[in-house]
Amino acid sequence: MPTEQDLQNLLAQISTLPPTSPQIPPLLTQLKRTLLFLNALLPTPTTSRTLHALARQTLETGALLSIRLRQPEEFTRYFHHLQPFYELPSSSFSPSDDGQRSKVTGLYLLLLLTKGDYAGFHTVLEALEVVGGGVVGDAFIQYPVQLERWLMEGSYDRVWGATKREGVPSDEYGVFSEVLVGTIRSEIASCSEKAYPSLPITNAKNLLFLDSEGSVVEFAHERGWVVKDGRIYFPVQQGEEMRTEKEILVASGQVIENTIGYARELETIV
């Protein structure tokens, strides 16, 4: 019969492994089975404060490793399993603290942003504010909150800057940040197709936040764009041939302007 000591031993073992080790998934399964045997998958009035803390630590470990393994669905399951523990006062745990609640919750907020689930984002955020979850001044929470604000403003250049390594609160956040930049890049590409008949590759590199002109060419081929003589030619949108340049810019120019964030570069794009 598994004991609390077995749970501690498993947690100690998994903490020594690199995040991508093939030993991680079976150990996570073993941890969850141990919690089940100990009747600790959910907090109960008869559960000891020490076991509460171990159970929460186990689920948080699984959640964070799921991010490293790029398994957002598994992370989401861990997040929901953690909610009953996060609803308990810190005095229910030994030691008496909030564990990694801010970090895990901030990651979930970031995941919702990558999915475009803004309603879910604000639901989680409002719940944090109601229970006094320390939203203001918490780097793990403020990171996705600031990104969401910039996304709503269309300030994609700021979002891109914040996702660079030095601006990310932890390595786990970097995983979702990469996904978010990919989502933004796709949106910018769609706006570009509507705004311009073609763009120089050099300008497209800045516009799409890509590191090299080679990356631009590869991205262009993925989108089905034509690359010729140093320029990218976008497919003609249905009905676009009848629209004036002014009409096109009214429809999409503001989005592109916010995206680039560099007014002078906009003047030389077309």
Side-chain angles (χ1 to χ4, degrees), residues 87-244:
E87 292 171 0
L88 296 175
S90 59
S91 59
S92 298
F93 302 92
S94 180
S96 180
D97 58 35
D98 291 328
Q100 300 197 71
R101 179 184 182 184
S102 292
K103 187 175 187 178
V104 172
T105 304
L107 283 165
Y108 185 67
L109 288 170
L110 191 53
L111 173 61
L112 293 175
L113 285 185
T114 66
K115 294 181 175 180
D117 185 357
Y118 296 104
F121 180 93
H122 285 283
T123 297
V124 173
L125 193 58
E126 288 168 9
L128 279 177
E129 293 170 344
V130 167
V131 300
V135 173
V136 178
D138 188 313
F140 291 121
I141 302 298
Q142 281 302 309
Y143 180 74
V145 167
Q146 187 65 71
L147 290 184
E148 190 267 348
R149 184 177 298 121
W150 286 331
L151 285 170
M152 292 297 95
E153 295 172 355
S155 301
Y156 298 140
D157 57 311
R158 291 186 175 184
V159 176
W160 179 78
T163 59
K164 306 304 286 182
R165 180 61 58 185
E166 59 272 14
V168 179
S170 73
D171 290 341
E172 292 88 359
Y173 278 70
V175 175
F176 283 150
S177 295
E178 291 174 9
V179 176
L180 186 60
V181 169
T183 301
I184 291 171
R185 185 173 291 126
S186 179
E187 184 173 342
I188 293 171
S190 297
C191 291
S192 300
E193 291 173 344
K194 295 179 176 66
Y196 307 115
S198 69
L199 286 175
I201 291 178
T202 53
N203 293 116
K205 180 171 74 73
N206 295 328
L207 181 67
L208 297 169
F209 304 119
L210 290 168
D211 296 328
S212 67
E213 293 187 10
S215 298
V216 176
V217 173
E218 182 179 350
F219 183 80
H221 289 156
E222 292 174 358
R223 298 278 304 192
W225 298 340
V226 175
V227 180
K228 183 180 179 181
D229 299 330
R231 294 186 72 89
I232 292 173
Y233 293 86
F234 303 118
V236 176
Q237 304 290 316
Q238 186 175 4
E240 284 291 293
E241 63 275 7
M242 300 300 294
R243 298 174 66 187
T244 66

